[in-house]
Amino acid sequence: TTKFTSALDIPVEFLEKNVKLRGKLHHVSEKGLEVEHIPISIPFVTSIQRKWQSQGLLLVRLAGVELAPSGVAWLQRELKPQQMVWFQLLGREDLALECLVLVNKGRFLSICVNEELLRQGLGRTARIEGLRHDSRLYWKLHKRLLRAELKALKKNKGIWNEESYSERIRDRISNNKFVQTLKRFARWLRSAVGR
């Protein structure tokens, strides 16, 4: 029932047990998601606690994802301020929390934002900070994230989008020194004839 306003307020046991917390999104930035923690509410106790609860936002980073600039733009488009999110605690680094972020899409469906970003090709899989490398959870999550990244790679999505064969040939021809010299000669000839 306690409202956490700083990453340092969260007990170590919560991090070790990878507890899921609920929060209201306030802002998306390059650093991560700024989320207001919404504690479990107990009717009588919650109304009393609200009077002395301090205000503050938690900085939540997407664990295991190295965002591309287009990934931040996608997050800002897809996640709206005041939207409810769930974040599973995986680790804490300085004042930021490393988390899996879940968003409800409809009544019974929720998506993992970390996986969806990788599936869209808007980032790369990175080391999951805060989890021990020899833990089963680390490898389970890392495998899920790699699968999502592989889907984007196979479909040439986002950062994995390769130029088509014709685009590569056109670029090579236009960047060829002989072709550039011919173009300069043609421009010079046009200007000489125009005088």
Side-chain angles (χ1 to χ4, degrees), residues 18 26 40 45 69 74 76 118 151-153 185 187:
N18 307 115
H26 277 258
I40 296 170
V45 177
W74 182 87
Q76 290 169 337
L118 293 172
K151 284 182 182 179
L153 180 63
F185 178 72
R187 282 194 299 268

Side-chain angles (χ1 to χ4, degrees), residues 6 12-13 30 35 37 50-51 73 77 87-88 105 117-118 146 172 176 194:
S6 166
V12 176
E13 302 84 52
E30 288 80 25
V35 178
H37 174 236
R50 275 195 193 121
K51 292 177 183 173
R77 252 190 344 268
F87 49 102
Q88 183 176 4
K105 293 285 184 184
L117 275 164
L118 293 172
L146 284 172
R172 286 187 184 150
N176 185 301

Side-chain angles (χ1 to χ4, degrees), residues 12-164:
V12 176
E13 302 84 52
F14 279 39
L15 292 164
E16 289 171 352
K17 292 180 181 177
N18 307 115
V19 172
K20 279 186 188 174
L21 299 175
R22 186 173 63 130
K24 192 185 299 183
L25 180 72
H26 277 258
H27 182 68
V28 177
S29 69
E30 288 80 25
K31 294 178 185 176
L33 310 175
E34 293 176 11
V35 178
E36 176 188 356
H37 174 236
I38 308 286
I40 296 170
S41 61
I42 300 171
F44 181 69
V45 177
T46 304
S47 60
I48 294 171
Q49 278 184 326
R50 275 195 193 121
K51 292 177 183 173
W52 65 78
Q53 283 180 338
S54 59
Q55 296 298 314
L57 300 176
L58 300 172
L59 179 61
V60 174
R61 288 198 297 229
L62 299 169
V65 179
E66 183 184 315
L67 277 177
S70 54
V72 175
W74 182 87
L75 282 171
Q76 290 169 337
R77 252 190 344 268
E78 292 295 314
L79 302 179
K80 305 296 180 223
Q82 305 302 311
Q83 183 173 359
M84 296 302 283
V85 295
W86 287 89
F87 49 102
Q88 183 176 4
L89 302 171
L90 299 177
R92 175 173 48 205
E93 190 177 317
D94 300 325
L95 294 174
L97 298 167
E98 297 287 331
C99 301
L100 280 183
V101 177
L102 303 163
V103 176
N104 287 336
K105 293 285 184 184
R107 193 175 190 116
F108 301 107
L109 178 68
S110 66
I111 63 163
C112 176
V113 175
N114 307 50
E115 283 182 76
E116 190 59 30
L117 275 164
L118 293 172
R119 207 174 289 120
Q120 297 294 328
L122 302 172
R124 296 176 190 271
T125 304
R127 185 173 178 262
I128 301 172
E129 299 295 335
L131 283 180
R132 291 185 20 209
H133 291 297
D134 56 352
S135 72
R136 291 183 69 199
L137 180 61
Y138 179 91
W139 289 107
K140 179 182 168 187
L141 294 176
H142 197 63
K143 194 162 68 171
R144 276 176 48 192
L145 296 175
L146 284 172
R147 273 196 206 121
E149 184 177 359
L150 187 60
K151 284 182 182 179
L153 180 63
K154 285 181 179 178
K155 293 181 180 179
N156 288 329
K157 284 182 148 186
I159 61 174
W160 308 110
N161 185 5
E162 289 186 20
E163 294 178 305
S164 68

